[in-house]
Amino acid sequence: MTDRYQISSPSNIAFIKYWGKKDGNKQWPANGSLSMTLNHSKTITTAQVNNIDQDELVLKGSSSNQEKGIKHIQRMRQILRLESMPFLKITTENTFPTACGIASSASGLSALTLACLACWTRSKNLHELEKFYSREQMAHLSRMGSGSAGRSLWGGYVSWEPGPSSEEQILKQEFDKAHWDLCDVIVIISSEEKAQSSSKGHEAAWESPLFSARLAQLPYRLQQARLALIERDLNALGDIIEQDALDMHSVMMTGVPKANYFKPKTSEFISWLRTQRHQGNLKAWFTIDAGPNVHVICERRDLDRTIKSIKESFPGVELITDDVGSGPTLNLIKD
Ligand code: DP6
């Protein structure tokens, strides 16, 4: 009988974005970030010991990130001094379109991290796995694969601070899911995979004349976002997240090389949303990751009205309705 482990790990949407690294090898971010863990947008990964002498990684629905994944498995063996651990066969699939601004590397790399650790420690569930590695240690391992993946290890609202040195970075849950029932309506403007990876974009940011101004504002902005989260004040949080997304995209558009993830429909949608809000029709705010798709953040009580209004104004547009989630899960499957 083969033991197979199934991990479900969520994507997360950053309210304050991680963009730029002080040290790429150590995955030391240029600024602190803050995110909401999603509920339905996730990666489902199954893993088992391989009977041939190499790691195998099958990414269903997309081949991008395969090299990143294999490198991550090898990196984990080295960091954890687990070189003698068996090779693994891993299959992974997303419940949402990949590499177009729904943080597929966050869910993918956190799922991969947990899958390897579950196989190597033969842990049947997360509780057992946490006897070997703390949630924080697993978050740090995940961010070595992809920075944003470190924030997917917890449900609710999660922060990642650079700390005073690359060794002292802090990843932690700020609030659990029960703190605030926020929703995220993801408006799929395009599900084409993006032309420039986030990893390249993090380097390009340093060449943007706007980047130093962004970094100077971020500690204050992060503090204000935390306050708004504590007080569950979406008027305040909404303005901050829109500001932060536009600020990050301005850096992207002025970096070297420059990248423009917006499609004409992205701009059209955000102007429409702002108009609706200013006219008092909607209580919803946007954020946008490295892709053209728009995340519309609103409270549960405003969800139906928000969806209805989007559908009326953008007939035929694909929507993914998500909300705040409770973090990853792990199960043992016996064949
Ligand atoms: C725009 O985590 O994908 O989603 O660490 O190079 O893998 P790497 O980058 P990645 O960057 C994500 C950037 C973002 C904002 C965010 O999630 O904070």
Side-chain angles (χ1 to χ4, degrees):
M1 210 162 28
T2 334
D3 281 349
R4 279 196 304 143
Y5 299 85
Q6 186 174 71
I7 281 78
S8 157
S9 192
S11 175
N12 65 74
I13 179 66
F15 289 163
I16 302 293
K17 313 287 188 190
Y18 141 58
W19 201 246
K21 308 180 195 197
K22 289 194 222 191
D23 184 332
N25 291 328
K26 296 184 173 154
Q27 284 289 78
W28 191 19
N31 63 273
S33 56
L34 175 70
S35 57
M36 172 171 105
T37 298
L38 297 179
N39 197 13
H40 304 296
S41 303
K42 54 195 176 193
T43 299
I44 312 288
T45 297
T46 51
Q48 64 192 77
V49 167
N50 208 0
N51 44 22
I52 57 164
D53 281 353
Q54 67 182 50
D55 294 312
E56 274 181 88
L57 178 60
V58 180
L59 303 175
K60 287 194 187 162
S62 164
S63 57
S64 66
N65 281 339
Q66 195 194 22
E67 204 188 313
K68 197 168 175 170
I70 293 282
K71 262 198 197 143
H72 186 57
I73 305 173
Q74 290 161 353
R75 184 193 299 117
M76 279 208 295
R77 280 205 185 85
Q78 266 172 15
I79 297 179
L80 300 171
R81 297 185 208 258
L82 294 175
E83 279 93 347
S84 59
M85 280 292 148
F87 290 105
L88 302 177
K89 181 173 175 154
I90 296 178
T91 307
T92 186
E93 190 167 17
N94 294 333
T95 63
F96 57 89
T98 298
C100 58
I102 317 179
S104 55
S105 60
S107 55
L109 272 295
S110 55
L112 183 61
T113 303
L114 291 172
C116 296
L117 296 177
C119 278
W120 292 333
T121 60
R122 313 185 92 196
S123 301
K124 291 198 284 295
N125 52 48
L126 271 186
H127 183 66
E128 273 192 26
L129 183 52
E130 281 181 285
K131 291 183 187 150
F132 294 90
Y133 300 102
S134 69
R135 192 67 70 118
E136 207 184 332
Q137 279 173 315
M138 295 191 279
H140 282 287
L141 281 170
S142 300
R143 69 140 172 92
M144 290 305 292
S146 184
S148 52
R151 299 187 312 243
S152 281
L153 264 282
W154 292 271
Y157 302 89
V158 181
S159 65
W160 175 26
E161 293 276 5
S165 77
S166 63
E167 312 305 319
E168 296 165 279
Q169 301 180 40
I170 305 160
L171 268 156
K172 65 168 198 271
Q173 184 186 51
E174 297 274 336
F175 294 101
D176 67 11
K177 170 187 163 82
H179 175 71
W180 199 5
D181 192 11
L182 286 182
C183 299
D184 177 4
V185 182
I186 309 168
V187 182
I188 307 296
I189 304 283
S190 163
S191 48
E192 262 170 49
E193 294 200 14
K194 61 195 172 204
Q196 179 173 293
S197 70
S198 297
S199 302
K200 292 255 172 339
H202 288 292
E203 285 169 30
W206 293 98
E207 304 298 321
S208 160
L210 306 178
F211 192 47
S212 54
R214 169 170 170 76
L215 291 181
Q217 290 172 43
L218 276 168
Y220 178 71
R221 189 177 293 160
L222 198 54
Q223 192 193 2
Q224 295 302 303
R226 267 202 185 94
L227 269 179
L229 205 53
I230 291 172
E231 290 166 6
R232 298 187 196 90
D233 179 350
L234 193 53
N235 280 308
L237 185 66
D239 286 346
I240 296 168
I241 68 177
E242 288 194 354
Q243 176 70 44
D244 194 64
L246 293 178
D247 197 42
M248 176 184 74
H249 280 273
S250 309
V251 168
M252 289 164 161
M253 289 180 198
T254 51
V256 182
K258 49 187 177 301
N260 180 3
Y261 294 104
F262 277 40
K263 301 262 184 210
K265 265 257 169 322
T266 312
S267 310
E268 189 193 328
F269 185 87
I270 64 180
S271 332
W272 170 83
L273 185 68
R274 285 183 149 174
T275 307
Q276 293 302 311
R277 204 170 60 232
H278 293 149
Q279 291 176 348
N281 302 333
L282 286 182
K283 280 187 128 189
W285 283 258
F286 69 82
T287 181
I288 305 173
D289 264 0
N293 300 319
V294 185
H295 294 249
V296 178
I297 308 295
C298 65
E299 294 198 77
R300 172 81 57 196
R301 58 173 176 261
D302 297 313
L303 180 63
D304 288 348
R305 188 153 50 110
T306 305
I307 293 175
K308 187 166 174 272
S309 182
I310 296 173
K311 282 188 172 162
E312 274 167 15
S313 295
F314 298 88
V317 73
E318 188 191 342
L319 301 181
I320 298 175
T321 305
D322 216 326
D323 52 12
V324 58
S326 49
T329 59
L330 156 63
N331 289 296
L332 173 67
I333 305 166
K334 287 215 181 263
D335 289 328

